[in-house]
């Protein structure tokens, strides 16, 4: 069976990024696809850098080993976090962190005080995680992969894309910097926040980065929910989901517009890329999870998410392998109808 090349766009979403770990793990194991370029934001950026490091060490097997090591370290560090599931959540088997007393207290504090007030020493456990698990010299040397990491320029409000050849720990941390929790990450005197506000994940860097015209979005933030949020926390969580999906939806709408013009022979395909769009999502199971569970780093939960990701990746390839390189499997017209 011929191996087909795809580009990956990895969303951010806290510990839900373990779903993406599962997708990547399956793709590295499966013989049907190869990865040419990756764009990522927040947890997606971390997954991308970890995969590149492992790939540089020992190819696809090294990438899988590196990803598992990273997420094991996430779980290990989470054991020391003051934010734990409430006894009721543990009793009912819910992964929800919304009723954790510490989580409620931190949420309240974040509405009246900034990280500069609460955390003047700028202690960031994510820095310890990234610096202890990712060798950026190996990431920068992994020439078989194109990497594009998104962050938000606080001053301009515009997206900043960091590429593999220049990538540092600060750049990955900038991509994951939630301003209600962490102080802005400064790079060359410019402050950056989480890339999810302007590109979650960005698609345009992948248009001409590799020979493949296929972009597969690994989506972990639900676009649709059938319930109306009513509590203050539910409302805030839904606002965050909508805002963190808005940039992706804008780019998908733009791609759909170009598709229509190309189909009507109003654009020259020599100058405008006919991007083939695909998506992997564990919608049925992922939508059951609350936004607060993105803060849950228990190993059992991460493995649960990984397995959903592997299952979703297998289902996608089994159903859509023949379409790769031929046509889009994500129906954008239906998406926006």
């Amino acid at each position: 069976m011929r191996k087909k090349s795809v580009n990956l766009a990895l969303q951010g979403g806290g510990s839900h990024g373990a779903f993406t770990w599962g997708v990547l793990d399956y793709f590295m194991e499966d013989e049907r696809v190869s990865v040419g370029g990756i764009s990522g934001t927040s947890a997606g950026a971390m997954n991308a850098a970890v995969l590149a490091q492992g790939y540089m060490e020992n190819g696809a097997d090294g990438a899988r080993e590196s990803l598992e090591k990273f997420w094991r370290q996430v779980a290990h560090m989470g054991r020391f976090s003051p934010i734990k599931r409430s006894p009721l959540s543990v009793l009912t088997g819910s992964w929800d962190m919304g009723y954790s007393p510490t989580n409620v207290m931190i949420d309240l504090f974040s509405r009246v005080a900034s990280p500069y007030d609460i955390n003047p020493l700028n202690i960031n456990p994510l820095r310890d995680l990234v610096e202890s698990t990712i060798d950026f010299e190996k990431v920068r040397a992994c020439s078989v992969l194109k990497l594009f990491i998104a962050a938000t320029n606080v001053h301009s409000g515009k997206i900043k894309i960091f590429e593999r050849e220049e990538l540092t720990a600060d750049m990955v941390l900038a991509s994951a910097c939630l301003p209600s929790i962490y102080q802005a990450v400064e790079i060359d005197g410019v402050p950056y926040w989480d890339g999810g506000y302007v590109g979650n994940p960005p698609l345009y860097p992948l248009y001409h980065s590799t020979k493949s015209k296929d972009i597969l979005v690994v989506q972990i933030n639900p676009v649709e929910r059938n319930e109306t949020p009513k509590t203050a926390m539910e409302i805030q969580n839904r606002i965050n989901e909508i805002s963190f999906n808005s940039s992706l939806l804008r780019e998908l709408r733009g791609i759909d517009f170009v598709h229509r013009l190309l189909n009507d022979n109003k654009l020259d395909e020599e100058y405008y890329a006919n991007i083939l769009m695909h998506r992997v999502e564990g919608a049925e199971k992922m939508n059951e999870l609350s936004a607060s569970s993105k803060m849950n780093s228990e190993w059992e939960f991460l493995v649960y998410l990984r397995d959903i990701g592997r299952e979703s990746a297998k289902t996608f390839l089994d159903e859509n392998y023949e379409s790769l390189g031929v046509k889009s499997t994500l129906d954008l017209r239906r998406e926006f109808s």
Side-chain angles (χ1 to χ4, degrees), residues 8-312:
L8 302 178
L10 312 180
Q11 274 200 329
S15 64
H16 287 193
F19 170 84
T20 303
W21 163 30
V23 173
L24 297 175
D25 185 68
Y26 188 83
F27 281 176
M28 291 295 103
E29 178 186 289
D30 196 278
E31 295 293 327
R32 288 174 286 182
V33 292
S34 63
V35 179
I38 306 177
S39 69
T41 300
S42 193
M46 295 182 189
N47 274 319
V50 170
L51 182 144
Q53 169 192 256
Y55 204 92
M56 187 63 187
E57 292 173 340
N58 189 28
D61 289 340
R64 296 183 66 199
E65 293 168 6
S66 188
L67 283 163
E68 179 170 348
K69 179 181 177 182
F70 173 80
W71 285 100
R72 281 190 180 277
Q73 186 63 16
V74 170
H76 175 73
M77 294 183 68
R79 292 167 58 192
F80 305 100
S81 170
I83 303 177
K84 305 292 184 183
R85 281 190 292 164
S86 69
L88 180 60
S89 293
V90 174
L91 184 64
T92 60
S94 169
W95 300 112
D96 184 34
M97 303 286 277
Y99 298 102
S100 161
T102 309
N103 183 43
V104 172
M105 182 181 68
I106 291 174
D107 181 65
L108 290 173
F109 267 119
S110 70
R111 297 174 191 275
V112 296
S114 81
Y116 296 87
D117 302 318
I118 301 172
N119 184 16
L121 297 180
N122 198 20
I123 298 171
N124 186 345
L126 278 181
R127 179 174 293 279
D128 296 334
L129 172 67
V130 168
E131 292 181 344
S132 66
T133 56
I134 304 176
D135 184 335
F136 282 91
E137 286 190 11
K138 291 180 179 177
V139 174
R140 292 189 292 268
C142 187
S143 58
V144 297
L145 288 173
K146 300 281 188 180
L147 293 189
F148 305 96
I149 304 305
T152 301
N153 184 317
V154 178
H155 288 168
S156 70
K158 297 177 181 178
I159 192 171
K160 171 66 177 178
I161 299 294
F162 299 107
E163 299 190 26
R164 190 206 72 242
E165 295 86 350
E166 62 179 336
L167 205 60
T168 64
D170 277 344
M171 294 171 184
V172 171
L173 289 167
S175 183
C177 180
L178 289 171
S180 60
I181 300 177
Y182 304 114
Q183 295 184 25
V185 177
E186 288 203 3
I187 300 172
D188 297 330
V190 179
Y192 293 96
W193 283 341
D194 194 296
Y197 297 108
V198 289
N200 191 26
L203 304 182
Y204 72 89
L206 298 170
Y207 290 174
H208 303 287
S209 65
T210 70
K211 293 181 180 180
S212 175
K213 297 301 180 185
D214 294 83
I215 297 178
L216 189 152
V217 178
V218 181
Q219 189 159 357
I220 56 180
N221 294 299
V223 173
E224 296 184 10
R225 285 195 183 271
N226 296 325
E227 308 84 11
T228 302
K230 295 180 179 179
T231 70
M233 186 169 291
E234 288 173 346
I235 292 170
Q236 188 60 49
N237 287 339
R238 186 56 182 152
I239 289 172
N240 289 338
E241 284 180 343
I242 292 171
S243 63
F244 279 163
N245 275 325
S246 62
S247 59
L248 172 63
L249 293 176
R250 281 196 301 271
E251 282 205 80
L252 290 176
R253 192 180 292 274
I255 290 172
D256 179 49
F257 180 64
V258 172
H259 280 177
R260 295 181 185 220
L261 293 177
L262 287 170
N263 290 338
D264 293 339
N265 296 316
K266 294 181 179 179
L267 291 178
D268 189 339
E269 286 196 36
E270 184 177 347
Y271 300 101
Y272 292 89
N274 185 19
I275 302 299
L276 306 179
M277 290 303 309
H278 315 276
R279 179 169 63 195
V280 169
E281 58 177 347
E284 183 176 342
K285 292 182 179 178
M286 295 296 288
N287 284 9
E288 294 175 353
L289 300 173
S290 69
S292 68
S293 65
K294 292 178 180 180
M295 302 180 69
N296 187 337
S297 56
E298 298 171 54
W299 178 244
E300 293 78 10
F301 182 50
L302 301 181
V303 169
Y304 171 73
L305 293 169
R306 179 204 64 190
D307 291 347
I308 297 174
R310 282 183 55 84
E311 179 185 344
S312 299

